[in-house]
Amino acid sequence: MKVAFLVAPEGVEQVELTDPWQAVRDAGGTPRLVSTKPGRIQAFNHLDKADTFEVDQAVKDATVEEYDALVLPGGVANPDFLRLDRKAVAFAKGFFGAGKPVAAICHAPWTLVEADVVRGRTLTSWPSLRTDITNAGGTWVDEQVKVCTAGPNTLITSRNPDDLKAFREAFLEEFAKTTKGAAR
């Protein structure tokens, strides 16, 4: 299982990157850090700078075909930067077109709103995205984790870092189904 973690060069919530990343590794998968620029990204603990992480691949060089799934970590600034980058938005949207699972937590659905892929879907997020999701044609729910299969792919969403355990469990289960299906 090869999983793309799409982040901006700055602003990702560190625990929303590192916790799911470790879960993918623990499940025997290969996480890869994809960003809009090569080099290192700056993670944050809420509004304070945290660690930096090496980018594995620039989004301009990445293809949906080389990955089994996509994780979109949150952080307030991260998805706001991503939704302004055409290649990042197209990359995220490509997973929907390819029928591959996407997991997004906290503010990350902003990138999906920009990609116009939430219409007809039910998802959760940080509460302030409710209006954006609703205006984009999605249905917002206040749940720890929401798995939506009413579309071309499976979409797994959670609200915030407190939901990480449920988020991990849900996306690993869905990613495993996809990987097993692809192996046939």
Side-chain angles (χ1 to χ4, degrees):
M1 171 175 52
K2 190 173 176 185
V3 180
F5 281 72
L6 179 61
V7 299
E10 189 170 36
V12 69
E13 184 70 28
Q14 183 161 316
V15 71
E16 293 175 4
L17 169 63
T18 57
D19 184 279
W21 182 281
Q22 190 60 49
V24 168
R25 289 187 68 169
D26 291 348
T30 304
R32 302 256 306 154
L33 193 60
V34 178
S35 188
T36 57
K37 294 180 182 173
R40 297 187 73 80
I41 62 112
Q42 175 66 61
F44 280 73
N45 289 326
H46 193 52
L47 299 176
D48 298 321
K49 284 186 177 181
D51 298 323
T52 63
F53 298 89
E54 187 69 33
V55 172
D56 294 309
Q57 188 174 33
V59 75
K60 69 179 181 63
D61 301 321
T63 65
V64 171
E65 293 75 29
E66 63 191 293
Y67 293 100
D68 298 305
L70 173 66
V71 173
L72 295 167
V76 177
N78 177 53
D80 199 40
F81 288 135
L82 287 177
R83 66 185 179 161
L84 294 174
D85 186 285
R86 285 189 344 253
K87 289 184 171 107
V89 172
F91 184 67
K93 186 174 187 163
F95 283 84
F96 288 76
K100 295 182 178 185
V102 173
I105 188 166
C106 203
H107 288 81
W110 262 339
T111 305
L112 302 179
V113 166
E114 189 66 31
D116 193 25
V117 293
V118 301
R119 188 173 318 281
R121 306 302 293 267
T122 301
L123 58 155
T124 193
S125 67
W126 184 255
S128 67
L129 275 67
R130 178 183 186 158
T131 300
D132 298 309
I133 289 167
T134 303
N135 287 344
T139 300
W140 187 87
V141 294
D142 184 11
E143 296 177 13
Q144 188 176 39
V145 66
K146 180 63 184 171
V147 177
C148 179
T149 57
N153 68 333
T154 301
L155 175 60
I156 305 100
T157 53
S158 281
R159 301 170 299 193
N160 59 57
D162 291 339
D163 299 335
L164 278 166
K165 183 179 185 299
F167 182 64
R168 276 193 317 268
E169 290 170 358
F171 82 68
L172 285 174
E173 181 179 328
E174 294 302 321
F175 289 7
K177 288 178 191 176
T178 301
T179 305
K180 285 177 187 169
R184 291 177 206 216

